[in-house]
Amino acid sequence: ETANPGEHGNGWYFGHLETPIQDEGNVFKGLPQLSVQLRRYVETGEDPIYVMVYTAKGGFLYQVVSTVILHRDDLQLYDSNESQITLVTCYPRWVYDHRLLVTAELVGVKDG
């Protein structure tokens, strides 16, 4: 039980980095590049990174605030006092014994 988009708390979303079938189920294939982009944003002030989540209630705009890689055995779901999401995928390619977590905080809402 995690928060839905726009709700108070942390919504957890899991997706594949890649699958054996080309372009099938690899919804998070670009997630590893976010670590580099976030570092550039923090160091140089380049454009922030946003994630948009659409539901029947509207669109929810989140700004990426952190990325972390941890061993799969260390993954624990946690809640938050903020409205945020955490995107999770297996990592690295062809090994998959770690998890990449990308956390983003709600910064805007567009009613549907």
Side-chain angles (χ1 to χ4, degrees), residues 4-70:
N4 291 317
E7 290 182 349
H8 198 69
N10 194 5
W12 288 81
Y13 299 90
F14 293 78
H16 290 291
L17 184 64
E18 63 189 350
T19 62
I21 302 170
Q22 186 175 356
D23 294 326
E24 294 278 332
N26 55 355
V27 295
F28 286 161
K29 67 181 176 183
L31 228 49
Q33 288 78 25
L34 292 185
S35 295
V36 174
Q37 291 174 323
L38 183 61
R39 190 174 321 113
R40 215 176 303 147
Y41 167 68
V42 169
E43 292 172 358
T44 67
E46 285 189 24
D47 293 336
I49 305 162
Y50 295 104
V51 175
M52 191 73 180
V53 178
Y54 295 97
T55 71
K57 294 181 179 182
F60 300 91
L61 182 67
Y62 293 87
Q63 183 176 342
V64 174
V65 294
S66 69
T67 63
V68 65
I69 296 173
L70 40 100

Side-chain angles (χ1 to χ4, degrees), residues 87-100:
L87 311 176
V88 183
T89 193
C90 297
Y91 189 83
R93 187 173 188 224
W94 304 118
V95 178
Y96 308 122
D97 61 346
H98 285 74
R99 301 296 177 261
L100 169 62

